[in-house]
Amino acid sequence: MYRSIVITALLFTTGLHIQAQSKQERAYQAEADEVKKEVQDAKDPAFAQTVVPEKYQNESAVILAVKFSLDADHSRRKDHINTTLHERVKIQDKAALEEYSEFNIQKLKSSSWARGYKLVSFMGIRVIKPNGQQRDIDMNDAVNVKDEKDDKKQKIAIADLQVGDIIDYYVRINKDAASWFTNPDPLDYSIGEKYPMLDFALDIRVFRKMGVSWRYLNDDSSVLKRTKEDEDYVFSIHKKDVPKITDERWLYANRSLPTLRLTYNIAEDMVNGVNEKDIKEYLTYRIISVGAQYMALPAILKEFPDVLSNYKKVHNKTDMSKREIAELAYYYIRYAALYREQGGLGADIEVGQNRKLYSPRSHFVANAFRQLLLKYDIDTDLAAAVPRSVGTLQDAVSLDDLEYFIIAKPDDQPMYCYLGSMFSYPDELPTGLEGQEAYAVSVTGSKGEKSSSFRKITLPVSTAAQNVDAEKLNISFNAENLQTLNIDRMIRAKGQYRYQYVDMLLYEDMLEEERKTLSMSTTFERDLSADKKRFPEYKAAFAKARKDMDETVKDNIYTDYSIQPTAVTYYKVADQGLEKQNKPFTMHQSFTMDGFVKKAGNNYMLDIGKLITGQIELTPEERKRTYDVHMAFPRTVSYEVWVNIPEGYTLEGVENLNKSVINETGQFVSSSKVEGNKLVVNITKSYNHQHETVGAWGQMMAFMDAAADFTKQKVLLKKI
C-alpha cells in the first residue's frame, strides 16, 4: 500500500497565456518557499528527534513527531481555512518502506459555483539518512495522473528511500470558500495512528467573529487547552508517547479515541457543543413552525392526492388503511425527491452508478413527509438522532450532526421513517441510527403542547434474522477440463444487506419499477424532464449504462472471489428489492472460473472452502483488541452449495466440512452430506449484535476463526 496524502494546489486554466502562467507560477513558487521555510526551518525540538526508544525497535515504523495546525479566518464574505500536517517518520521495515515510497497528490479540486471554493496547497518531503545526510525531494518531479481543468492529480516516487531512513513531510492546504449558504467544513480530529507516536501536537486558531462550537471526547478534559488570544479562539493539545492503534477493524474513532470535534457558528462565541435546549428549539419551532422548506414541497402536496386516487383505481381499492396511506406517501416522496429528475433541460444526464447515490437533506424530506401525513390525519412525531459513528446526543457540536426523521403513528405500531436514499424503506432506520438515543416531538398542537411532548427515546435495532444475505451455488465441473468450474449463483439479500448490491441495479429499471409501484399517471418522459429532443439522449445514456453493467458484473465476481471469471454466461436481477412489501433483492449469475481445482495425478483437489466469500482471517495484532467492536448492523450470511460429482469419481474429506461454534455474539455452523452424485453443504454465519464490548472479542474470534478455517478446507475428487 502506498501512502496517500490529499494535497490541493492552485492551478490555473490552460487557456491563459504563457506569460500569465509564468507569473502566477512564480508567485506560487515564492509562497511555496515561504511555507517550506516556515515549516521545515522551525525550531521545534520534536522534529529534531532521530532516535527510536528500545521498546519500539520492532515496530514497522515509528512516528517521531506529528503536528496538526489549523487557522480559520473570515473576510469579504469568504471563509479562509489553512491547515498544516507535519509528520516525521522513522522507517523500520519493508512494509513501511513500501507505504512511504510513493505519495498520491490531489493537486487541484476546485469549484466556481456560488458555494464554490478555491484550494491552494503546498507539500514538502525531506529524507534524512542514518548518517544525518538529508535530501529534499523536488516536487517538480511529480507525474500527472489526472489533468483536468478543475481536477488534477499527481504521484511522486521517493527515490533511494531505504529502511532506516527518516521521512519528514508536510502538507499545507489553504482553502477559500464562499460563505453565502454554509459554514466551513467541520473538523473531527482523532488522535491515534497505526504506528506509535513519540510526540503529538495540535494547534487550532479560529477568528473570534466566526464563532466555534466544540467537544473533546474520550480523554481527560484537562488535556485540551482553550484560550483567547487577541482576536482568536485557541485550542491546543500536546501528548507524548501515544500508542499505536491496532483495532482498525470495526473501530468508531469518535467513540474510542481522544477526539476533538469542532464546527463554526455565527454566535461569535466559543461554546461546548449543542445541548438539549438547542435541539428542542430546532425541532419544536424552527422546523415545524417556520418550516425547512423543500423547493418541490408545494408540488408534492398538490400531486399526492391524485397519486393516491389513481393508486386506488388501479388496485381496485375503495379504501386504504392509514398505514397503507403512510407507506404510499413515503414511497411517493422518495420517488419525487430522488427518482424523478428535477433538473432543467440543459442539465447533465446522469443515469450510471453516480445516479443511485443521490440523497436529500433529511430535515427537508422529514418536513415534507410530516405535512403529507397531517393531511390524512395520521399522528406524527418529528425525531432527531446522532449517527453512531459520530457519537451520542451529548457529543453533538451542531444541529447538522443530527439526522431528522418521522415517527408515523397510523395504528398502535409506530413507523420509523427515515428517507436517506433511493433504497430506503418505510419503517426502517439506517444502520447508523439503530439503537441510538433520539429526541422526539409531536408535530401537532400549540407551541406549548409541542414543547410538553418533547422527550428522549431509544431507537429500535434490527436483528441478524432481518438482515440476511443468502447465497445458493450450483457447481459443476467442465466436462472437457475438470479444472474449470461452472458456477450458477443465486443471491437473495434482505434488510440492510440489500445496500451491498446497489451497484448491480440500473437506474432505468428502478425508475420503471417505481412508476409501476406508485401507479404513476405521468409519462416516462415527464418524469425525466425530457422533451422530444432530449429523450433520445436519455435512451442513449440508458443503453450505455446497460452495456457498462457487463463490467460491473465481472467486477462483482472478482471482488467476491479474488479471481477473474473466465466467462460470464448469464446475469439477471430478478427482483430489485426496492419496496419492503415485495420480494427481496434477488440476483442470478452464471459464470466459469479457474483457480479452484488442482490436478493431483489422476485425481483433483477442490478448494471448496474458497467458495464462501468475505471471511476474515485475523492477524496476530488484531487478536489483541483494546476498544469495543462497532459493526454496521447485526447480520446473517448463509450458503447452500451443491457440487455435482463427475461420473467416475468419488469424494474424500467431506467429514472435515462439518463445524459448529455458537455463542452469545454469533455463530458459524456448517454441515455436509452426499446425496447420490451431489455434495450438499449448508453454512450459516451470524453476527448477533451491532456492538460488542471488548470483553466479548474472544467469543467473536471463536466463530470467526471457525469460518476462516473453513475457507482452507479441500475435498479430493478421486478417480474410481
Side-chain angles (χ1 to χ4, degrees), residues 658-682:
N658 301 315
K659 297 180 180 295
S660 180
V661 177
I662 303 173
N663 58 49
E664 292 181 358
T665 64
Q667 64 172 337
F668 180 84
V669 177
S670 63
S671 62
S672 61
K673 60 183 178 180
V674 176
E675 295 182 352
N677 70 331
K678 297 182 186 295
L679 167 65
V680 185
V681 183
N682 287 285

Side-chain angles (χ1 to χ4, degrees), residues 503-535:
D503 58 341
M504 309 309 294
L505 301 179
L506 290 164
Y507 168 62
E508 180 184 11
D509 296 341
M510 296 165 62
L511 185 61
E512 288 279 17
E513 180 174 321
E514 282 300 277
R515 287 175 47 76
K516 182 178 179 180
T517 297
L518 292 167
S519 304
M520 296 298 297
S521 60
T522 53
T523 65
F524 192 72
E525 293 88 338
R526 157 66 180 82
D527 285 350
L528 289 173
S529 296
D531 59 8
K532 291 182 179 180
K533 179 180 178 181
R534 190 166 175 81
F535 188 60

Side-chain angles (χ1 to χ4, degrees), residues 28 74 90 138 140 144 200 248 277 279 409 452 499 524 528 544 557 560 618-619 635 643-644 664 675 697 715:
Y28 175 83
H74 176 87
K90 178 71 175 291
D138 187 349
N140 292 321
N144 288 332
F200 171 84
E248 294 184 273
K277 181 181 177 182
I279 298 172
K409 302 175 182 178
S452 63
Y499 289 96
F524 192 72
L528 289 173
K544 182 181 184 302
I557 295 169
D560 286 348
L618 298 169
T619 66
R635 59 204 183 276
V643 179
N644 294 277
E664 292 181 358
E675 295 182 352
W697 183 233
V715 291

Side-chain angles (χ1 to χ4, degrees), residues 357-418:
L357 302 179
Y358 287 12
S359 61
R361 293 291 297 273
S362 64
H363 61 297
F364 284 174
V365 290
N367 198 37
F369 189 37
R370 67 101 181 172
Q371 291 193 47
L372 262 189
L373 295 178
L374 290 178
K375 287 175 67 73
Y376 294 91
D377 196 29
I378 298 174
D379 290 342
T380 304
D381 285 349
L382 179 63
V386 172
R388 293 170 54 227
S389 60
V390 173
T392 68
L393 289 169
Q394 291 70 40
D395 300 332
V397 293
S398 80
L399 295 169
D400 288 339
D401 280 338
L402 283 82
E403 297 289 345
Y404 301 89
F405 56 98
I406 289 296
I407 306 174
K409 302 175 182 178
D411 47 38
D412 58 354
Q413 293 296 319
M415 280 176 55
Y416 296 87
C417 298
Y418 177 93

Side-chain angles (χ1 to χ4, degrees), residues 25-42:
E25 287 173 355
R26 288 196 300 270
Y28 175 83
Q29 188 59 51
E31 188 169 357
D33 292 341
E34 290 180 8
V35 173
K36 179 179 180 179
K37 182 176 179 61
E38 174 192 337
V39 176
Q40 288 197 332
D41 293 350

Side-chain angles (χ1 to χ4, degrees), residues 25-291:
E25 287 173 355
R26 288 196 300 270
Y28 175 83
Q29 188 59 51
E31 188 169 357
D33 292 341
E34 290 180 8
V35 173
K36 179 179 180 179
K37 182 176 179 61
E38 174 192 337
V39 176
Q40 288 197 332
D41 293 350
K43 303 300 182 182
D44 187 340
F47 287 88
Q49 175 72 285
T50 60
V51 179
V52 172
E54 180 66 29
K55 64 179 179 179
Y56 293 141
Q57 290 295 328
N58 294 325
E59 296 291 342
S60 178
V62 176
I63 300 174
L64 302 174
V66 59
K67 182 175 182 179
F68 175 81
S69 305
L70 182 149
D71 289 285
D73 199 356
H74 176 87
S75 64
R76 297 182 180 179
R77 295 179 177 176
K78 285 188 177 182
D79 297 311
H80 313 283
I81 311 295
N82 302 333
T83 59
T84 306
L85 177 68
H86 186 192
E87 190 167 295
R88 185 178 177 93
V89 185
K90 178 71 175 291
I91 298 170
Q92 301 196 140
D93 68 11
K94 290 184 178 180
L97 178 65
E98 183 180 6
E99 181 174 351
Y100 285 93
S101 65
E102 185 175 283
F103 288 79
N104 296 312
I105 309 165
Q106 175 85 55
K107 289 198 69 175
L108 170 66
K109 192 70 173 178
S110 64
S111 168
S112 59
W113 295 355
R115 304 185 189 192
Y117 56 86
K118 178 177 70 176
L119 300 100
V120 185
S121 300
F122 309 92
M123 183 177 190
I125 305 171
R126 175 174 289 173
V127 176
I128 300 98
K129 294 293 184 178
N131 63 4
Q133 180 184 1
Q134 62 183 33
R135 173 173 56 91
D136 290 346
I137 304 301
D138 187 349
M139 297 304 296
N140 292 321
D141 292 338
V143 178
N144 288 332
V145 175
K146 189 173 185 178
D147 191 13
E148 297 179 1
K149 178 181 177 181
D150 296 319
D151 188 1
K152 298 180 185 292
K153 297 179 181 179
Q154 292 185 330
K155 65 179 180 181
I156 187 165
I158 313 303
D160 193 34
L161 188 66
Q162 298 175 340
V163 173
D165 290 351
I166 292 172
I167 189 164
D168 189 314
Y169 71 90
Y170 65 85
V171 182
R172 163 71 61 82
I173 302 175
N174 298 342
K175 179 177 180 180
D176 294 342
S179 58
W180 290 89
F181 301 101
T182 184
N183 286 329
D185 295 333
L187 172 72
D188 277 18
Y189 197 104
S190 297
I191 303 172
E193 297 289 345
K194 62 186 293 186
Y195 305 121
M197 296 186 288
L198 300 189
D199 192 284
F200 171 84
L202 175 146
D203 183 85
I204 294 176
R205 296 169 185 272
V206 180
F207 181 46
R208 178 180 55 79
K209 290 187 177 181
M210 293 181 70
V212 62
S213 177
W214 63 276
R215 297 277 194 193
Y216 188 55
L217 313 176
N218 312 312
D219 200 6
D220 185 343
S221 60
S222 65
V223 172
L224 176 67
K225 309 299 182 184
R226 295 179 291 114
T227 59
K228 294 182 181 179
E229 296 182 11
D230 298 326
E231 293 294 304
D232 292 337
Y233 295 125
V234 179
F235 298 82
S236 61
I237 297 173
H238 189 202
K239 283 177 169 284
K240 286 186 174 293
D241 201 9
V242 180
K244 67 180 180 180
I245 305 301
T246 59
D247 300 351
E248 294 184 273
R249 190 188 305 277
W250 299 324
L251 175 73
Y252 283 173
N254 282 23
R255 287 178 171 266
S256 304
L257 306 180
T259 299
L260 177 62
R261 308 199 65 233
L262 182 149
T263 191
Y264 307 91
N265 60 55
I266 60 175
E268 299 185 12
D269 200 359
M270 180 164 55
V271 298
N272 190 9
V274 294
N275 54 36
E276 182 175 299
K277 181 181 177 182
D278 299 325
I279 298 172
K280 182 177 181 179
E281 174 72 10
Y282 193 69
L283 284 180
T284 60
Y285 178 68
R286 290 174 61 185
I287 289 184
I288 296 176
S289 300
V290 177

